[in-house]
């Protein structure tokens, strides 16, 4: 059985940032977590910490790379397979963020406006030589995306169900199945049932 040790939220952010800062040059960090885990919040804390110590950093939420509603909802509003494989444009994320940052020193912070269901009309952003991008959202791992550092916010099934709004609970089977089918080993596994009292998995 894996071992977990309690860790304060601030210490967790510092621990992740320490690994990131040990690497020179541009980097992309994945904060993988269901929407119920609010991965964008941890991403924002990481960005703030990195900026405080003088490193350029920015957040890229996966929800800025959602596909148009006509594609997401092609098979209905609660199709599990669609949520898993057609809801988010992971290929565009790879092209416009990961590879664009490394190959051209630029990136697109968002591609699609989910609420308005239209192009995000975001401008390309230039990245300094040390820019760190924090990509946050569900099912990022197991997609073959070449992240430099990876964090998974792990919710037990009861916690996932409890924290997911009732009208979104149809997504839970997709999240659980993806985690089972693609058990990519991240750099940090964080038990996140209670975000104010996280626990970090310890390697033997």
């Amino acid at each position: 059985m894996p071992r977990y040790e309690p860790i304060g939220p601030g210490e967790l952010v510092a621990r992740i940032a320490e690994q990131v800062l040990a690497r020179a040059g541009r980097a992309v960090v994945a904060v993988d977590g269901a929407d119920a885990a609010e991965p964008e919040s941890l991403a924002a804390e990481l960005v703030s910490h990195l900026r405080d110590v003088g490193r350029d950093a920015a957040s890229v939420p996966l929800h800025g790379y959602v596909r148009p509603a006509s594609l997401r909802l092609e098979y209905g509003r609660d199709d599990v397979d669609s949520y898993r494989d057609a809801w988010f444009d992971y290929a565009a994320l790879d092209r416009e963020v990961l590879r664009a940052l490394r190959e051209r020193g630029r990136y697109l912070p968002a591609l699609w406006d989910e609420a308005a269901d239209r192009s995000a009309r975001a401008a390309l952003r230039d990245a300094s030589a040390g820019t760190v991008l924090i990509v946050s959202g569900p099912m990022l791992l197991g997609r073959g995306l070449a992240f430099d550092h990876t964090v998974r916010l792990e919710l037990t099934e009861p916690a996932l169900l409890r924290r997911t709004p009732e009208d979104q609970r149809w997504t839970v089977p997709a999240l659980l199945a993806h985690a089972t089918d693609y058990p990519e080993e991240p750099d940090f596994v964080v038990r996140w049932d209670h975000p104010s009292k996280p626990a970090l998995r310890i390697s033997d």
Side-chain angles (χ1 to χ4, degrees):
M1 292 292 290
R3 294 189 301 112
Y4 291 83
E5 72 171 17
I7 186 171
E11 185 183 352
L12 173 64
V13 169
R15 187 87 62 93
I16 297 168
E18 181 181 20
Q19 185 184 92
V20 174
L21 291 167
R23 181 190 185 101
R26 300 181 180 113
V28 185
V29 181
V31 178
D32 182 294
D35 289 343
E38 300 181 353
E40 291 180 24
S41 295
L42 181 61
E45 291 179 27
L46 277 167
V47 167
S48 179
H49 183 97
L50 290 166
R51 288 176 176 173
D52 284 347
V53 297
R55 191 76 175 262
D56 286 342
S59 176
V60 180
L62 181 60
H63 276 275
Y65 277 82
V66 71
R67 285 194 167 104
S70 60
L71 298 177
R72 298 196 313 271
L73 308 179
E74 182 178 3
Y75 299 102
R77 293 185 174 275
D78 56 0
D79 184 79
V80 173
D81 291 336
S82 293
Y83 183 71
R84 184 173 174 181
D85 298 322
W87 208 266
F88 301 101
D89 197 339
Y90 297 98
L93 178 74
D94 185 35
R95 182 181 67 247
E96 303 294 346
V97 179
L98 281 78
R99 288 194 284 122
L101 180 74
R102 294 180 178 122
E103 296 170 8
R104 300 186 294 280
R106 309 178 79 186
Y107 69 97
L108 188 66
L111 182 65
W112 198 255
D113 183 326
E114 186 173 8
D117 197 34
R118 61 169 175 77
S119 169
R121 301 176 184 172
L124 284 167
R125 294 182 183 175
D126 292 324
S128 70
T131 293
V132 178
L133 299 181
I134 314 294
V135 179
S136 56
M139 300 178 288
L140 286 168
L141 302 182
R143 302 278 177 184
L145 299 171
F147 294 110
D148 299 295
H149 309 278
T150 51
V151 181
R152 185 172 71 227
L153 303 181
E154 187 176 77
L155 292 173
T156 60
E157 185 173 352
L160 182 57
L161 288 167
R162 182 176 67 249
R163 296 182 57 189
T164 300
E166 187 173 353
D167 64 345
Q168 296 297 314
R169 285 180 188 159
W170 62 270
T171 65
V172 170
L175 295 163
L176 295 173
H178 183 80
T180 299
D181 293 345
Y182 297 98
E184 181 178 333
E185 189 65 24
D187 299 318
F188 297 90
V189 179
V190 187
R191 180 64 57 81
W192 204 248
D193 285 8
H194 303 283
S196 62
K197 298 179 180 178
L200 183 64
R201 194 172 76 186
I202 306 301
S203 300
D204 292 324

